[in-house]
């Protein structure tokens, strides 16, 4: 059940927000009482479609309303093709699922999360002032926030794209949700969450803000978003919440037993590599770095317990396969990883000592 708000931030709110944000402190405590996120295990691999950038997008969406209860799926309130309901959370979720489906179908030729037209399910108004959004393996679930620190989570398209991308990872690379592979799991979701937003807005890499969760903080919080891909550690700096603790360089990698080995913290390192490579190349990030990362995700060569160095090597390999060994795209990806202190595994980059590609099922 990967969640968008990391536990270290909920811990901070629960411990320190009481005097200024009493509702938020109580909401954070309740959120922390929910069962911890499971480690994502292996799942069936779908047959991967051909890349058809101009393919029409035809999602099948179903939005349900939990009506303030922590019970899923809730009451079905909007199906595919039905008009807007007037409930902002319902309609934002519906539109966000469509935007995410559109990016994956038109750019990467992927029909929904599983590559085979899987219906996109979401539940809104989950819980009483619930301070999170998560993917539970079957659906997107959105809380409304406490109203003091967090606003409704459907208002951020990068959040919606991030959580649905966890489903794509489950059906492709199956990166284990622990340590470096878990940080890569979170990074992949941040990368595609950012691309969903950029594609919907028509933003190039220079115009994009590279923020994840922009707009989910209330105006009372000194912060822009949950995370900054381009500048990890700068997304917020608030008297109550503290300062964004994400590192942006491998020398600052956080060794911890919390949050499955710091998956939400250490994802800042590959996040910055991705954003730097995209900015160096310019233009639309989904046309170059996005394609390289997607190719790596579906290559079948990533290990479930992948390291940063191994993942970096696979992105260099897929960059060479798609754009050429001497291409500017491959060079930009290499410089991105070097800028954050990740040295790609030389044997992996040469194509040796990697798992054989897994056959499509």
């Amino acid at each position: 059940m990967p969640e968008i708000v990391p536990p270290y931030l909920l811990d901070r709110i629960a411990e320190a927000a009481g005097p200024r944000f009493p509702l938020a402190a109580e909401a954070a405590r309740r959120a922390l009482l929910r069962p911890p996120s499971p480690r994502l295990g292996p799942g069936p691999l779908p047959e991967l479609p051909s890349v058809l950038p101009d393919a029409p997008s035809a999602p099948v969406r179903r939005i349900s309303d939990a009506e303030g209860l922590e019970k899923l799926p809730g009451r079905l309130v909007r199906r595919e093709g039905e008009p807007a309901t007037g409930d902002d959370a319902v309609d934002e979720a519906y539109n966000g699922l469509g935007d995410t489906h559109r990016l994956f179908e038109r750019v990467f030729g992927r029909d929904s999360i599983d590559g085979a037209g899987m219906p996109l399910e979401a539940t809104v108004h989950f819980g009483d002032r619930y301070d999170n959004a998560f993917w539970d393996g079957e659906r997107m679930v959105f809380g409304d926030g406490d109203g003091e620190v967090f606003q409704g989570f459907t208002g951020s398209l990068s959040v919606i794209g991030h959580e649905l991308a966890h489903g794509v990872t489950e059906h492709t690379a199956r990166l284990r949700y622990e340590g470096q592979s878990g940080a890569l799991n979170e990074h992949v979701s941040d990368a595609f969450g950012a691309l969903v937003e950029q594609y919907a807005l028509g933003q190039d890499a220079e115009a994009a803000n590279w923020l994840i969760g922009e707009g989910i903080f209330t105006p009372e919080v000194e912060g822009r978003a949950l995370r900054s891909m381009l500048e990890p550690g700068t997304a917020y700096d608030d008297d109550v919440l503290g300062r964004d603790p994400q590192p942006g360089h491998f020398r600052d990698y956080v060794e911890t037993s919390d949050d499955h080995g710091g998956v939400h913290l250490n994802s800042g390192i590959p996040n910055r590599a991705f954003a730097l490579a995209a900015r160096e190349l310019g233009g639309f990030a989904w046309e170059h770095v996005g394609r390289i990362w997607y190719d790596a995700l579906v290559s079948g060569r990533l290990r479930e317990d992948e390291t940063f160095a191994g993942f970096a090597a696979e992105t260099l390999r897929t960059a060479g396969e798609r754009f050429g060994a001497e291409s500017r795209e491959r060079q930009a990806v290499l410089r991105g990883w070097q800028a954050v202190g990740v040295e790609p595994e030389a044997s992996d980059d040469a194509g040796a000592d990697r798992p054989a590609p897994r056959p499509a099922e």
Side-chain angles (χ1 to χ4, degrees), residues 58 86 96 321:
E321 290 172 346

Side-chain angles (χ1 to χ4, degrees), residues 236-314:
Y236 58 86
D237 189 355
D238 183 83
D239 289 345
V240 172
L241 275 62
R243 184 171 181 174
D244 176 6
Q246 267 206 320
H249 195 280
F250 194 60
R251 63 172 171 261
D252 301 316
Y253 184 92
V254 179
E255 296 285 355
T256 177
S257 60
D258 295 334
D259 190 24
H260 301 287
V263 297
H264 288 93
L265 285 170
N266 295 313
S267 60
I269 298 166
N271 275 0
R272 180 163 168 77
F274 182 95
L276 288 174
R279 297 257 294 192
E280 178 178 334
L281 290 169
F284 297 123
W286 60 83
E287 293 182 339
H288 40 69
V289 183
R291 288 187 184 278
I292 292 166
W293 255 244
Y294 182 77
D295 288 348
L297 195 66
V298 303
S299 71
R301 293 186 293 256
L302 291 173
R303 298 167 294 214
E304 291 176 18
D305 60 347
E306 193 59 84
T307 63
F308 285 4
F311 187 87
E314 184 60 20

Side-chain angles (χ1 to χ4, degrees), residues 114-127:
D114 63 350
M118 176 180 176
L120 298 177
E121 307 269 0
T123 294
V124 300
H125 303 308
F126 178 80

Side-chain angles (χ1 to χ4, degrees), residues 4-19:
I4 193 68
V5 179
Y8 60 77
L9 183 53
L10 290 174
D11 280 334
R12 175 75 183 187
I13 295 168
E15 292 175 4

Side-chain angles (χ1 to χ4, degrees), residues 48 97 110-111 161 171 304 343 350 359:
L48 299 176
L97 296 184
R110 185 177 191 82
D111 184 7
H171 284 277
E304 291 176 18
E343 186 65 32

Side-chain angles (χ1 to χ4, degrees), residues 13-135:
I13 295 168
E15 292 175 4
R20 182 176 165 195
F21 300 125
L23 294 177
E26 176 59 27
R29 284 190 285 271
R30 287 200 307 272
L32 287 165
L33 289 174
R34 285 189 57 77
S37 304
R39 300 178 186 182
L40 302 183
L45 283 172
E47 182 176 355
L48 299 176
S50 300
V51 175
L52 301 171
D54 298 322
S57 177
V60 178
R61 292 166 282 186
R62 292 194 286 259
I63 314 298
S64 299
D65 185 348
E67 299 176 316
L69 302 176
E70 294 192 16
K71 185 176 180 180
L72 296 172
R75 179 173 58 91
L76 183 63
V77 292
R78 189 175 179 187
R79 299 176 178 84
E80 184 62 40
E82 292 182 344
T85 65
D87 182 319
D88 288 344
V90 171
D91 298 331
E92 287 168 349
Y94 183 90
N95 293 337
L97 296 184
D99 287 331
T100 304
H101 187 280
R102 190 172 302 113
L103 171 81
F104 278 100
E105 177 114 53
R106 291 183 177 175
V107 177
F108 308 121
R110 185 177 191 82
D111 184 7
S112 192
I113 289 170
D114 63 350
M118 176 180 176
L120 298 177
E121 307 269 0
T123 294
V124 300
H125 303 308
F126 178 80
D128 178 18
R129 300 190 299 272
Y130 185 68
D131 272 347
N132 228 319
F134 59 88
W135 165 256

